[in-house]
Amino acid sequence: MANYEEVFKKVVAHAKEYGFIFQSSELYDGLAAVYDYGPNGSELKNNIRNYWWKSMVNMNENIVGLDSSIFMHPTTWKASGHVDAFNDPLIDNKDSKKRYRADVLIEDYVAKIEGKIEKEVKKAIKRFGDSFDKEQFVGTNPRVLGYKSKCMSIMQRFSEAMAANKLDDVKTLIKELGIVCPVSGTKNWTDVRQFNLMFKTQMGSTADGASDLYLRPETAQGIFVNFLNVQKTARMKIPFGIAQTGKAFRNEIVARQFIFRMREFEQMEMQFFVRPGKEMKWYEHWKDSRMKWHLSLGIDKELFRFHDHDNLAHYANAACDIEFKFPFGFKELEGIHSRTDFDLKSHQKHSGRKVQYFDPEINESYIPYVVETSIGLDRMFLTILSNSYKEEKVNGENRLVLSIPALLAPVKAAVLPLTKKDGLPEKAREILSLLQCDFLCQYEEKDSIGKRYRRQDAIGTPYCITVDHQSLEDNTVTVRDRDTMAQERVAIDRLYTLVSKKVDFRNYL
Ligand code: GAP
């Protein structure tokens, strides 16, 4: 498809039309950057979450689960550094009155230069054909080298300014690069200021002496403060991990791009506790393992890339993102961070209690180091949705299909009686009852069979099972495959196995 923005608009409209995602409080004109998941969306979201959980917890004997609270003791956030350092640099355009993240303005500028590199590569592929060597080209072509060094020097200046908290330098950089406000087109910028992203609330009435609480901005801290509880009760030995999924909240300055950047979202995080000095080995292990997880879903590997952080968070000694090529470009999907012993050490200090592990192998107590993998469930949802949205021409007609991996598809099979009479609905309901305990199925008898197929394609249902008059005679049905559109006659007593195999977790290992 031609225009990426156009495609993205279509994906967003499709998500609403087919009950995947609604704007929150739409009845009251909506709440910015907050979304609700509809009938198909909640199924897809559950399936992604389950796939992640199974891959982490079932498939790793040294990883266990946790479900900690959103509310935590307020000192947690002082200890974690979020009260003092969980800020975004913001800047306003005085003409449009629009607010931006200074880092995003700079990153978008750099992304445009990177786009020019991609264009040069495409031109060269056309020019050189089969003999083209991409690595050699990007390592030697003077124009590409010029673009690369420009990107590097911009990011370096930005990182240095942020590390030294020199917000004036960030503004100077924005001015020097000639970055304009996308709305007003002017360079009339305010100074850059820091803005804390945590939402505050209160527990208890004021008369009781209410205490200020924060809505957690990451699920990870619930894992850290439960480190000893889990380690002792589950009798875990280092190295081991704790996995958790749950809501997180951030008062994002610029929340845009649909569910990419939300103010209320869900994370799937795993903290892996290791012996000090072993963290780099495990960091590499989890980078590799998480990339494999993404590729296991059959998404083109060209759509993923690693991006090392130049600007490390206050807790990390190494960090990278797995970026996905969303319709609006390569953006962070998942973070892999080597968080050192920062968090546990800080909780030990602020709580006054020992948070240490006795390692029987080396007869020593220490505060473990941590490697974390952290992925936004909503971003993963957007990855699946935008990657699976396809418009095709079939026999001169348009077909819109969501080629969602069968394991994740909201509905696994649709059971469709060809007509509403002659006992076909009754037969179809018998089939439904064979399948529905284990697989979410839909029964549909309205409209022509072609229309019903198209509706199921549009929500990504892997199988349509059609019950016709022959079914009453020989107990067979037609099974139509979403992706190939091939139709096969199948005995009813084989259906359960057929659907099981299609959606089997083992297919994705
Ligand atoms: N515990 C580490 C942590 O929270 P992060 O890079 O700030 O690290 C991890 O967030 C992941 O959470 C991101 O890679 C992204 O997928 C997701 N995420 C972060 N902010 C988000 C937002 N405002 N909306 C949706 N997802 C978000």
Side-chain angles (χ1 to χ4, degrees):
M1 254 173 271
N3 179 332
Y4 289 131
E5 269 175 36
E6 199 95 313
V7 177
F8 189 46
K9 271 192 198 151
K10 286 185 183 178
V11 170
V12 175
H14 189 83
K16 174 161 188 208
E17 189 181 346
Y18 286 90
F20 283 88
I21 298 170
F22 309 125
Q23 175 75 60
S24 159
S25 324
E26 198 188 75
L27 199 59
Y28 294 100
D29 295 331
L31 186 64
V34 188
Y35 291 90
D36 298 338
Y37 287 81
N40 288 318
S42 49
E43 290 296 337
L44 175 55
K45 199 174 170 196
N46 284 342
N47 294 342
I48 296 173
R49 193 192 295 105
N50 288 341
Y51 182 54
W52 181 88
W53 187 269
K54 260 184 131 168
S55 310
M56 277 294 175
V57 179
N58 295 39
M59 302 309 290
N60 290 287
E61 52 188 274
N62 58 356
I63 297 183
V64 288
L66 178 75
D67 183 6
S68 72
S69 305
I70 288 172
F71 289 147
M72 297 183 71
H73 192 285
T75 311
T76 309
W77 305 111
K78 188 76 193 151
S80 68
H82 285 81
V83 171
D84 297 320
F86 194 52
N87 301 319
D88 272 346
L90 70 84
I91 189 166
D92 293 326
N93 183 270
K94 291 182 196 162
D95 299 319
S96 67
K97 310 271 183 272
K98 292 276 172 205
R99 181 161 288 177
Y100 299 92
R101 268 175 59 179
D103 56 332
V104 172
L105 285 179
I106 293 168
E107 276 163 18
D108 284 352
Y109 183 88
V110 167
K112 276 194 194 131
I113 306 178
E114 284 171 348
K116 288 184 186 169
I117 299 177
E118 266 188 46
K119 268 194 194 145
E120 291 294 332
V121 170
K122 274 191 191 142
K123 272 199 281 178
I125 291 173
K126 267 197 192 151
R127 204 174 339 131
F128 297 115
D130 287 345
S131 61
F132 181 66
D133 179 340
K134 185 175 170 187
E135 223 165 273
Q136 193 195 354
F137 179 78
V138 295
T140 54
N141 180 276
R143 202 171 286 165
V144 171
L145 289 177
Y147 288 143
K148 275 182 62 183
S149 107
K150 193 167 177 196
C151 293
M152 267 169 60
S153 91
I154 294 171
M155 288 318 292
Q156 194 175 341
R157 267 183 73 184
F158 174 64
S159 301
E160 282 169 9
M162 289 304 293
N165 202 22
K166 288 188 172 162
L167 299 180
D168 284 352
D169 289 1
V170 177
K171 181 176 177 182
T172 308
L173 182 60
I174 289 175
K175 289 204 120 177
E176 276 180 27
L177 295 174
I179 295 176
V180 295
C181 164
V183 176
S184 67
T186 70
K187 298 175 208 162
N188 195 7
W189 297 110
T190 61
D191 289 341
V192 179
R193 309 181 295 292
Q194 291 287 20
F195 175 81
N196 192 284
L197 298 182
M198 283 196 294
F199 282 102
K200 237 185 195 169
T201 186
Q202 289 195 324
M203 183 180 263
S205 70
T206 326
D208 290 335
S211 50
D212 280 342
L213 293 186
Y214 296 100
L215 297 187
R216 67 180 176 195
E218 62 171 7
T219 57
Q221 296 304 323
I223 294 181
F224 292 126
V225 300
N226 276 296
F227 165 71
L228 283 179
N229 282 339
V230 174
Q231 186 267 318
K232 288 191 173 137
T233 56
R235 299 166 56 239
M236 303 306 287
K237 282 206 172 75
I238 271 179
F240 77 91
I242 305 177
Q244 147 152 270
T245 69
K247 286 274 173 121
F249 304 83
R250 295 182 189 180
N251 196 2
E252 298 283 359
I253 302 165
V254 189
R256 58 187 167 141
Q257 286 152 335
F258 193 38
I259 57 169
F260 180 79
R261 196 176 300 288
M262 301 155 89
R263 297 201 165 100
E264 173 181 339
F265 58 100
E266 195 165 332
Q267 289 187 315
M268 306 190 286
E269 299 202 296
M270 193 279 295
Q271 316 293 319
F272 201 73
F273 299 91
V274 304
R275 195 181 288 168
K278 300 277 182 205
E279 70 275 14
M280 280 308 156
K281 181 189 128 200
W282 285 106
Y283 175 67
E284 292 305 326
H285 167 87
W286 283 109
K287 269 177 77 172
D288 184 51
S289 167
R290 294 304 302 150
M291 185 59 99
K292 282 191 181 132
W293 184 83
H294 289 284
L295 298 179
S296 73
L297 289 166
I299 304 174
D300 183 355
K301 74 173 189 323
E302 297 295 318
L303 298 178
F304 293 100
R305 70 179 187 195
F306 283 111
H307 170 80
D308 290 325
H309 287 201
D310 303 315
N311 207 359
L312 290 176
H314 58 273
Y315 49 72
N317 68 357
C320 72
D321 296 333
I322 293 180
E323 293 188 337
F324 176 72
K325 195 169 185 185
F326 290 98
F328 39 85
F330 270 107
K331 296 273 174 196
E332 174 184 349
L333 166 62
E334 170 157 11
I336 295 140
H337 312 127
S338 172
R339 287 180 83 129
T340 66
D341 57 355
F342 173 87
D343 301 86
L344 292 182
K345 203 177 189 171
S346 190
H347 287 305
Q348 174 168 287
K349 184 172 150 216
H350 282 80
S351 67
R353 308 230 175 111
K354 272 212 158 137
V355 186
Q356 297 203 353
Y357 170 79
F358 175 74
D359 191 330
E361 280 180 28
I362 53 171
N363 231 5
E364 248 179 56
S365 285
Y366 54 78
I367 298 177
Y369 271 47
V370 173
V371 175
E372 105 177 321
T373 72
S374 174
I375 178 169
L377 174 50
D378 312 87
R379 280 195 197 172
M380 190 60 205
F381 187 110
L382 188 56
T383 299
I384 296 293
L385 192 68
S386 55
N387 185 64
S388 61
Y389 181 91
K390 305 214 163 76
E391 288 176 9
E392 298 174 353
K393 272 258 181 272
V394 178
N395 302 329
E397 277 192 35
N398 290 333
R399 172 170 107 114
L400 207 156
V401 60
L402 289 189
S403 58
I404 302 175
L407 174 69
L408 305 183
V411 176
K412 305 302 187 207
V415 188
L416 316 170
L418 193 59
T419 65
K420 285 188 212 169
K421 48 185 194 219
D422 304 333
L424 299 188
E426 290 76 10
K427 191 76 185 166
R429 288 201 182 278
E430 271 175 35
I431 293 172
L432 186 67
S433 64
L434 279 178
L435 301 175
Q436 69 188 159
C437 286
D438 293 301
F439 314 108
L440 185 68
C441 297
Q442 260 182 16
Y443 173 88
E444 270 211 297
E445 55 179 33
K446 198 170 170 290
D447 295 323
S448 71
I449 199 75
K451 266 197 184 159
R452 281 181 272 169
Y453 283 162
R454 278 197 290 282
R455 271 205 296 273
Q456 293 299 330
D457 285 346
I459 62 167
T461 307
Y463 282 145
C464 283
I465 299 168
T466 305
V467 178
D468 55 20
H469 290 90
Q470 190 185 329
S471 311
L472 301 179
E473 286 162 22
D474 65 3
N475 267 326
T476 65
V477 286
T478 305
V479 176
R480 173 184 177 272
D481 183 285
R482 175 196 72 196
D483 300 324
T484 62
M485 287 179 287
Q487 302 195 13
E488 193 194 345
R489 202 82 206 165
V490 173
I492 290 173
D493 59 13
R494 270 192 53 221
L495 284 175
Y496 184 89
T497 312
L498 191 78
V499 180
S500 301
K501 280 196 174 149
K502 186 78 173 175
V503 303
D504 193 343
F505 178 75
R506 290 170 190 82
N507 298 341
Y508 297 84
L509 293 176

